[in-house]
């Protein structure tokens, strides 16, 4: 049976930076064919036009579908499931599906919809990414322009949950697998560290909180989380049952382009090479410890195992590690272990290399 297509749900209030994040992802897709489903409504259907202009071979106009019947979480059966079926019926299926919800959407009903029999055998929720406006949240607001979010709410006739913004925000955080603190360049180091601590304390244990400005997040950090969120709904339950059986509601990104862009990149990656390993299980545990100690976001690569002709592939999302033997080493291929480490800028290369080589 073919592998399920991974789908990433991107949620967050109007102006948090969802569209900027997605545009950056499409421009750096590295040949991955990404289909995009955008939840627009009212006369705010501008993001589709912006994104259709990206002109990248991985993002043709056919790969962008717009849900124009309002809040995704209120129209799952009528709008979202048929759109997904249409996408899945194509001859050339996408490598990954990204769904941008409206700013007022609750993510949970949308994730629940992936259990519908029409789509459950073909697609899985790779992860839920909640984008927050770091500056606004650190100042005790939930959006840069709260009035605009309220105006958006009034425009949507299909909206059938009247939820206070504070509760919507809590539900978006409760459902997240990754929280992206956008506009972090507008915060001091102390403000930014305090906000990250606060969001970590409000979210589930395994959730990664990352900082960025202008939505610049490496594609292999954003995609490929491999969570399978639709099978884990109890852990990400709505804190507020304000809704009939469905759940997702929000809109995005009229981003202030006057933010100064940092020259340095907020993320970095480097390679660690070490000799063969003796015990794959013990090595995976060692790697997980290093990831926890240094807050590494992703780690991937392969290892040579003493006495085994096959190469061991290793992939980690946070401390969750997946290993399998993929192919024999070639005759001329060196039998060493090579790991790519990805994280926020400022990783202690020497300490990580020493710990992975121990």
């Amino acid at each position: 049976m073919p592998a399920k297509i991974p789908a990433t749900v991107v949620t967050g209030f109007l102006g948090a930076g969802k569209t900027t994040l997605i545009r950056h992802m499409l421009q750096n897709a590295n040949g991955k064919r990404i289909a995009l489903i955008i939840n627009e409504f009212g006369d705010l259907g501008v993001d589709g036009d912006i994104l259709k202009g990206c002109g990248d071979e991985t993002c043709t106009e056919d790969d962008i579908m717009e849900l124009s019947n309002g809040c995704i979480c209120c129209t799952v059966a009528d709008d979202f499931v048929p759109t997904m079926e249409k996408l899945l019926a194509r001859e050339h299926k996408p490598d990954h599906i990204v769904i941008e919800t409206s700013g007022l959407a609750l993510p949970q009903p949308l994730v629940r919809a992936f259990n519908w029999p029409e789509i459950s055998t073909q697609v899985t929720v790779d992860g839920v990414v909640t984008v927050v406006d770091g500056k606004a949240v650190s100042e005790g607001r939930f959006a840069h322009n709260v009035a605009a979010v309220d105006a958006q709410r009034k425009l949507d006739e299909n909206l059938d949950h009247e939820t206070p913004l504070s509760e919507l925000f809590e539900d978006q955080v409760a459902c997240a697998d990754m929280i992206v603190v956008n506009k972090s360049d507008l915060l001091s180091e102390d403000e930014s560290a305090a906000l990250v601590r606060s969001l970590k304390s409000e979210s589930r244990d395994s959730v990664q909180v990352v900082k960025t400005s202008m939505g610049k997040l490496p594609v292999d950090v954003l995609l490929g989380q491999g969570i399978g969120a639709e099978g884990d709904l109890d852990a990400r339950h709505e804190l507020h049952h304000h809704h009939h059986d469905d759940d997702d509601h929000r809109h995005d990104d009229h981003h202030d382009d006057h933010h100064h862009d940092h020259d340095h990149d907020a993320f970095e990656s480097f390679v660690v090479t070490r000799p063969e390993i003796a015990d794959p299980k013990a090595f995976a545990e060692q790697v997980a410890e290093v990831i926890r100690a240094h807050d590494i976001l992703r780690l991937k690569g392969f290892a040579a195992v003493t006495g085994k002709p096959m190469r061991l592939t290793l992939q980690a999302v946070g401390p969750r590690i997946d290993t399998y033997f993929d192919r024999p080493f070639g005759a001329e291929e060196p039998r060493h272990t090579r790991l790519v480490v990805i994280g926020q800028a400022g990783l202690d290369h020497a300490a990580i290399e020493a710990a992975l080589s121990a």
Side-chain angles (χ1 to χ4, degrees):
M1 185 176 154
K4 291 184 182 186
I5 298 169
T8 296
V9 175
V10 179
T11 182
F13 285 142
L14 177 70
K18 299 191 300 290
T19 302
T20 306
L21 180 87
I22 288 169
R23 193 187 298 127
H24 181 267
M25 172 198 75
L26 293 172
Q27 287 163 350
N28 297 274
N30 305 328
K32 194 188 280 279
R33 188 184 173 103
I34 297 172
L36 190 58
I37 296 178
I38 319 175
N39 185 188
E40 295 300 351
F41 55 80
D43 48 9
L44 292 170
V46 295
D47 292 359
D49 294 333
I50 293 170
L51 290 160
K52 280 171 188 168
C54 75
D56 197 280
E57 70 279 0
T58 54
C59 145
T60 66
E61 200 156 321
D62 292 345
D63 289 327
I64 297 180
M65 307 180 95
E66 196 167 9
L67 301 181
S68 50
N69 294 340
C71 168
I72 242 179
C73 61
C74 308
T75 59
V76 163
D78 304 334
D79 206 4
F80 175 65
V81 172
T83 299
M84 287 291 284
E85 288 182 293
K86 201 159 81 181
L87 191 57
L88 296 168
R90 290 183 180 173
E91 184 185 356
H92 298 295
K93 292 186 171 46
D95 299 320
H96 204 107
I97 299 168
V98 174
I99 300 153
E100 181 194 353
T101 71
S102 100
L104 304 173
L106 303 161
Q108 288 86 346
L110 180 59
V111 172
R112 200 174 296 127
F114 282 81
N115 288 314
W116 282 49
E118 295 89 336
I119 55 177
S120 65
T121 56
Q122 300 179 73
V123 190
T124 180
V125 181
D126 181 62
V128 176
V129 176
T130 295
V131 185
V132 305
D133 179 330
K135 182 74 172 156
V137 175
S138 73
E139 291 171 354
R141 295 170 292 134
F142 301 103
H144 170 64
N145 186 341
V146 173
V149 176
D150 276 329
Q152 176 191 18
R153 191 198 299 265
K154 292 186 178 73
L155 275 173
D156 186 9
E157 318 79 62
N158 289 299
L159 184 57
D160 62 4
H161 53 82
E162 274 299 327
T163 311
L165 292 187
S166 58
E167 294 184 6
L168 268 170
F169 182 79
E170 286 175 31
D171 273 355
Q172 289 176 356
V173 168
C175 197
D177 296 297
M178 172 179 282
I179 298 171
V180 177
V181 179
N182 200 20
K183 310 185 192 179
S184 62
D185 51 318
L186 302 180
L187 299 174
S188 69
E189 283 297 318
D190 288 349
E191 288 171 327
S192 158
L195 180 57
V196 167
R197 278 196 304 275
S198 162
L199 288 167
K200 280 189 171 170
S201 72
E202 291 167 27
S203 54
R204 292 170 300 123
D205 284 350
S206 57
V207 174
Q208 294 185 321
V209 180
V210 299
K211 295 177 297 184
T212 183
S213 58
M214 303 304 290
K216 289 183 176 175
L217 198 61
V219 172
D220 45 7
V221 169
L222 185 63
L223 308 182
Q225 295 187 55
I227 302 283
E230 71 279 9
D232 171 37
L233 278 160
D234 288 347
R236 52 185 83 220
H237 62 279
E238 297 98 317
L239 307 170
H240 312 280
H241 297 280
H242 21 221
H243 211 266
H244 58 67
D245 193 35
D246 260 332
D247 152 86
D248 206 54
H249 174 227
R250 133 184 143 154
H251 187 299
D252 200 316
D253 235 58
H254 308 288
H255 189 35
D256 303 334
D257 282 330
H258 60 262
H259 290 180
H260 58 282
D261 199 353
H262 280 283
D263 294 327
H264 62 264
D265 206 334
F267 297 86
E268 60 178 323
S269 64
F270 64 97
V271 176
V272 174
T273 308
R274 58 157 289 165
E276 292 189 356
I277 62 169
D279 179 347
K281 188 166 181 291
F283 184 63
E285 286 167 6
Q286 177 184 342
V287 169
E289 279 307 308
V290 177
I291 287 171
R292 282 191 197 95
H294 294 275
D295 214 10
I296 292 166
L297 293 170
R298 297 283 185 277
L299 189 146
K300 56 190 181 179
F302 54 83
V305 181
T306 307
K308 302 272 188 193
M310 300 283 281
R311 188 175 81 163
L312 182 76
T313 294
L314 185 141
Q315 294 181 9
V317 176
R320 289 186 303 115
I321 296 184
D322 186 30
T323 59
Y324 56 92
F325 287 99
D326 70 338
R327 64 167 177 80
F329 277 94
E332 304 298 314
E333 202 174 359
R335 286 183 57 89
H336 61 206
T337 295
R338 187 175 186 277
L339 304 169
V340 180
V341 178
I342 304 172
Q344 299 257 189
L347 293 173
D348 186 336
H349 293 211
I352 291 169
E353 184 158 6
L356 288 173
S357 301

